[in-house]
Amino acid sequence: MDFNFYMPVQVFTGEGCVKQQMARMSRYGRRCLILTGTHSATASGALDDVMETLTAAGVDATIFPGIGQNPLLSQCQNAAFAAETCRADFLVGIGGGSVMDATKAAAWIAENLTAHTDQLFAGQYRHDPLPFALVGLTAGTGSEVSPVAVLTCPDGRKRSVSDPRCYARMAFGDPRYTDSLGRVTTEASALDAFCHAAEGYLNPACGDAAQLFAEKALPLLSDGLEVLTRLAPEERPEPGLRDRLYYGSLWAGMVLNALGTSYPHPLGYVLTEDFGVPHGAACAVFLPDLLARTAVRWPERAASFDSLTGGRDRVLPLIRKLARTDIAMTPEQAEGYACRWDPEKGGAVPHNFARVAGGFTPDDARALFRELFVK
């Protein structure tokens, strides 16, 4: 038996959970900075709910808007300086994964004001981050319940921050906040959550607790993906589907928290950085390969995955329809990306490559990029 698990976030879910529980954050102080995206916090109603609840609790809140997709390190630095300016005692992030990840980084930087951001990625700051709460607005990233933040650096590359001190104090999950999402975001977020659950479940290190979380997530998310593929372009997902996707994303976030991701994630970063593919859709491009490798190297787990999701004959068409891209690379481009992970070419092998039965090598990445993108 393997019951090892750690997840110290206090999670509140259900319709109205922000109004019912957000006042608890006032225990951390009387001033806060609220980070948001460009419009989703307002469109969803979440910002109004947070402001109303904090004001009633005697908290003076300042809003820092405009966190974009794939948050820039510079945006996190600006938010940290805004927190210092308003003397914030705590932060609140209202948004999808980008805003939540930016909130985590800003909380670090605000308590350790320095230009040496390499310390951020190494977890070497002297002071703990400011306390922060997260209000999720998408059904995908699981950032509410993980200590990981993925940021875009000045060179355009994505890098991750992961530290046990980087958990939210409280997370709020109201599926109704996802009702205002457009189809592209809904589909990409659902794919991201499905990848989190699948990559964790197919990781040989998956223990009993994480396995149970994945077994909750995978049926919810695979059913949700199937419904999304059947909707006409003008149709909006109904509330029942929104609920399944959101709670599926939280279960998947618990898997992510326990195990991290496998190789589809670092490979997917390339498609987001240079080709503009939404993060979840980019990672899902590589999921069929992960399923095929697992079927050969760990057939028992592949069979269990099939029983949870309805089988690869059901899942693969869903992934390919929702994650389909027309990306084409020259052989030289594909080789250039593969060198990113090859120590012999000056790169570094990500930890993610080991999180699959039999492992995954830079040469595997090179061959996969050629197979998928060199036409």
Side-chain angles (χ1 to χ4, degrees):
M1 298 291 288
D2 176 1
F3 204 80
N4 297 330
F5 198 76
Y6 179 69
M7 205 291 289
V9 183
Q10 187 169 16
V11 181
F12 301 101
T13 63
E15 189 168 353
C17 62
V18 166
K19 285 190 172 183
Q20 295 162 10
Q21 306 291 349
M22 176 63 79
R24 293 169 179 254
M25 285 300 295
S26 64
R27 72 182 63 167
Y28 298 109
R30 295 299 174 183
R31 293 180 298 273
C32 83
L33 183 74
I34 299 175
L35 282 69
T36 73
T38 54
H39 69 277
S40 58
T42 300
S44 66
L47 179 58
D48 286 343
D49 288 348
V50 170
M51 289 293 292
E52 178 183 331
T53 306
L54 290 179
T55 299
V59 175
D60 182 16
T62 301
I63 300 172
F64 185 90
I67 300 295
Q69 293 185 7
N70 309 304
L72 301 176
L73 177 59
S74 59
Q75 290 179 315
C76 303
Q77 292 169 321
N78 290 338
F81 287 120
E84 182 190 30
T85 300
C86 71
R87 295 182 297 157
D89 299 306
F90 63 93
L91 307 181
V92 177
I94 308 174
S98 293
V99 173
M100 291 190 280
D101 286 4
T103 302
K104 296 174 184 179
W108 273 104
I109 299 170
E111 285 290 84
N112 297 270
L113 290 173
T114 173
H116 300 297
T117 51
D118 280 348
Q119 296 173 344
L120 172 67
F121 297 103
Q124 294 176 345
Y125 279 164
R126 290 185 301 164
H127 304 297
D128 289 347
L130 280 175
F132 60 91
L134 299 174
V135 181
L137 302 186
T138 63
T141 68
S143 189
E144 299 96 325
V145 293
S146 85
V148 179
V150 180
L151 310 174
T152 301
C153 295
D155 63 1
R157 296 280 186 91
K158 287 191 169 189
R159 294 182 67 183
S160 62
V161 179
S162 182
D163 190 279
R165 295 169 290 176
C166 208
Y167 284 102
R169 301 299 175 93
M170 299 179 193
F172 299 85
D174 184 339
R176 294 288 68 74
Y177 290 151
T178 69
D179 290 347
S180 61
L181 292 178
R183 280 287 293 277
V184 172
T185 302
T186 298
E187 292 173 358
S189 298
L191 286 169
D192 192 21
F194 189 74
C195 287
H196 292 158
E199 292 173 40
Y201 190 69
L202 302 178
N203 182 340
C206 184
D208 292 340
Q211 179 175 325
L212 289 173
F213 298 141
E215 289 170 351
K216 291 285 288 187
L218 288 168
L220 287 169
L221 295 169
S222 57
D223 289 350
L225 291 174
E226 182 172 37
V227 174
L228 286 173
T229 63
R230 295 201 305 261
L231 291 179
E234 68 278 5
E235 285 186 89
R236 296 188 64 83
E238 50 87 27
L241 174 59
R242 296 286 191 189
D243 289 354
R244 291 196 295 275
L245 291 175
Y246 191 77
Y247 287 112
S249 77
L250 286 182
W251 287 116
M254 300 288 275
V255 179
L256 172 67
N257 170 62
L259 297 161
T261 58
S262 186
Y263 67 86
H265 265 71
L267 269 58
Y269 290 163
V270 167
L271 306 188
T272 299
E273 292 165 1
D274 291 352
F275 297 91
V277 180
H279 169 70
C283 298
V285 167
F286 302 98
L287 196 54
D289 183 76
L290 175 61
L291 297 176
R293 289 175 189 273
T294 305
V296 172
R297 300 171 176 177
W298 195 8
E300 299 83 5
R301 181 48 62 97
S304 297
F305 180 90
D306 288 344
S307 69
L308 291 166
T309 60
R312 279 182 292 161
D313 289 343
R314 178 197 186 211
V315 168
L316 292 182
L318 302 179
I319 294 172
R320 288 175 176 136
K321 182 172 182 179
L322 294 174
R324 185 172 59 235
T325 63
D326 298 321
I327 292 171
M329 299 180 187
T330 65
E332 293 75 20
Q333 280 180 299
E335 174 62 24
Y337 289 126
C339 289
R340 179 183 297 193
W341 307 295
D342 191 340
E344 295 184 1
K345 305 289 186 179
V349 179
H351 297 301
N352 317 62
F353 280 19
R355 298 170 182 159
V356 56
F360 187 81
T361 68
D363 282 340
D364 291 330
R366 183 174 285 107
L368 185 55
F369 265 66
R370 285 198 299 261
E371 175 188 341
L372 293 177
F373 307 122
V374 177
K375 310 300 183 184

